[in-house]
Amino acid sequence: MASQRRAAPPRGRRPRGSPRHMGRGSGRAELAMAGPPGRCPDCAGPERGGGGAPPAVPLLDIAVDEGDVLPGALRLMRELRPGWEPGRVKTKLFTDGITNKLVACYTDEGMADAVLVRVYGRKTELLVDRETELRNFQVLRAHGCAPDLYCAFQNGLCYQFLPGIALGPSHVRDPCIFRLVAQEMARVHAIHASGSLRKPILWHKLHKYLTLVKTELSPKVSNPSLQQDVPSLEMLEHEVAWMQDTLSQLGSPVVLCHNDVLCKNIIYDSTREHVHFIDYEYTGYNYQAYDIGNHFNEFAGVKEVDYQLYPGKETQLQWLRSYLQAYKQLTQGERGGTGVSEEELQVLYVQVNKFSLASHFLWACWGLIQDKYSTIDFNFLRYAKLRFKQYFKMKQVVTALQISK
């Protein structure tokens, strides 16, 4: 799988070009701001940009062959875009995603009218609740954080394509960029932040993935040749119990989280000086610090992982200050304009670095499951081993961090 890598833009300048998307999701570089929001299905009243009930998402009784997506994608276009002349429809297959298959269908040479067809990867229903994904997509769309959703079909979704720059590990280290990322994450976290307390999905996900590893993969995980790199089932259970007992006591708020803000899931709109997140398969209510810690882990990249790129404390504090300023303003209004105290900053710093452990562990288990089922050309087992190795390495470091009383 080819992956274009780009050097970091000089300080004060914006990245140019469009690196190919190498994320856990569909594999694309396209989504920017998608127009005015409608009404959020989880909100009591209309959002600023619209009113009335959210539009129903059409469900088409069409299945697309994961191994040959183009015929099914063109069949979908005949339903969604009946005015398009079949002979004029062009397609572009994206090949960098490591969860799903994705193709763009369009007639305009500049792809201004393109529709994205995302076909769910084999057995990904074990990892992703598709009904919840669809609902979260609508919630984010209503708040201006996602593109238009055109339809669902038997094994996928069709939605809006807009050009943009998919970021890489070099870009997210640039202060000009990471401040925008911090502000956008605050915008997502502020959705329903003042509502009733929700349960975090982290523990449910970890236990679910661990159960899948135990029931589906126990012979492989129990293989002595893997013991050096993949922990035993007993150790995995012990670590989940330790994390749940330790991290749940840190006091991190539960907010609506993206839960997968890797670099290629961030689209930079240079004309508007804005970023948006894409791929909402793992979106759900979770610990604030988990979402941020997961993003910091993703500074290391996905295909060519280098944990030396994990942000240092100074970079983290700059990022976290931008985040807290935006989050307080969004959730407290004028009361949030009092600034960010050093105490608030240090508390969040400790929470984030401790929750980053759970991110390593979850994606390591995810990698083991994908290694068995996925048809995508990616070394999932190697990826899982890297995440487990980093989990145990960082556990020794972050457990020494303490929140001042």
Side-chain angles (χ1 to χ4, degrees), residues 40-333:
C40 172
D42 285 354
C43 289
E47 295 303 315
R48 293 176 186 171
V57 178
L59 176 60
L60 302 183
D61 190 20
I62 294 174
V64 178
D65 183 355
E66 185 196 2
D68 186 15
V69 300
L70 294 184
L74 293 172
R75 183 182 172 196
L76 285 164
M77 291 309 103
R78 289 196 291 271
E79 298 290 334
L80 289 175
R81 298 291 184 266
W84 285 2
E85 297 178 21
R88 294 185 60 239
V89 178
K90 301 177 179 63
T91 59
K92 179 178 180 180
L93 186 66
F94 295 86
T95 59
D96 285 338
I98 59 174
T99 298
N100 309 300
K101 301 290 180 68
L102 187 90
V103 62
C105 299
Y106 58 99
T107 62
D108 179 78
E109 287 294 338
M111 298 181 68
D113 61 351
V115 175
L116 289 172
V117 179
R118 188 178 76 186
V119 183
Y120 301 146
R122 180 174 178 265
K123 290 288 188 177
T124 52
E125 69 275 8
L126 295 173
L127 301 161
V128 178
D129 182 330
R130 295 301 180 184
E131 289 187 8
T132 299
E133 177 194 8
L134 190 61
R135 183 170 187 83
N136 287 330
F137 201 129
Q138 291 176 287
V139 169
L140 291 167
R141 170 70 192 115
H143 288 266
C145 298
D148 287 338
L149 180 60
Y150 298 135
C151 79
F153 53 95
Q154 285 186 18
N155 59 329
L157 299 172
C158 294
Y159 49 95
Q160 184 182 21
F161 173 103
L162 287 175
I165 297 171
L167 299 184
S170 58
H171 303 132
V172 294
R173 302 179 65 84
D174 180 356
C176 298
I177 302 297
F178 74 55
R179 289 189 180 94
L180 298 177
V181 176
Q183 290 162 8
E184 181 65 8
M185 187 173 288
R187 195 157 76 104
V188 173
H189 289 181
I191 297 174
H192 305 154
S194 60
S196 59
L197 183 64
R198 314 274 185 136
K199 288 186 177 180
I201 64 171
L202 177 59
W203 311 122
H204 171 75
K205 281 280 188 185
L206 279 173
H207 285 290
K208 179 181 180 179
Y209 286 11
L210 183 57
T211 297
L212 286 169
V213 169
K214 290 166 61 178
T215 58
E216 303 285 331
L217 310 172
S218 55
K220 173 177 282 191
V221 178
S222 300
N223 187 329
S225 65
L226 292 177
Q227 289 296 313
Q228 182 177 355
D229 300 307
V230 178
S232 66
L233 294 173
E234 293 75 18
M235 183 174 289
L236 293 177
E237 290 179 324
H238 170 80
E239 293 302 321
V240 170
W242 176 82
M243 282 189 289
Q244 187 164 358
D245 181 62
T246 304
L247 302 182
S248 61
Q249 305 301 316
L250 294 177
S252 182
V254 175
V255 296
L256 183 63
C257 293
H258 182 282
N259 292 316
D260 192 20
V261 185
L262 48 78
C263 297
K264 297 302 183 185
N265 280 348
I266 307 169
I267 304 302
Y268 174 64
D269 180 355
S270 60
T271 62
R272 302 183 60 174
E273 288 295 311
H274 211 294
V275 301
H276 284 279
F277 304 151
I278 60 172
D279 286 354
Y280 318 114
E281 294 179 294
Y282 303 96
T283 297
Y285 289 91
N286 209 350
Y287 296 104
Q288 175 192 59
Y290 174 86
D291 214 14
I292 302 172
N294 181 77
H295 173 58
F296 286 173
N297 284 341
E298 300 298 348
F299 275 48
V302 174
K303 186 179 180 183
E304 300 174 15
V305 181
D306 180 4
Y307 285 112
Q308 291 185 4
L309 298 177
Y310 186 81
K313 185 172 183 178
E314 181 180 350
T315 298
Q316 287 193 44
L317 291 178
Q318 291 180 45
W319 196 105
L320 294 173
R321 186 179 295 278
S322 294
Y323 168 86
L324 282 172
Q325 287 171 342
Y327 183 73
K328 291 177 72 175
Q329 186 66 41
L330 287 163
T331 57
Q332 301 176 23

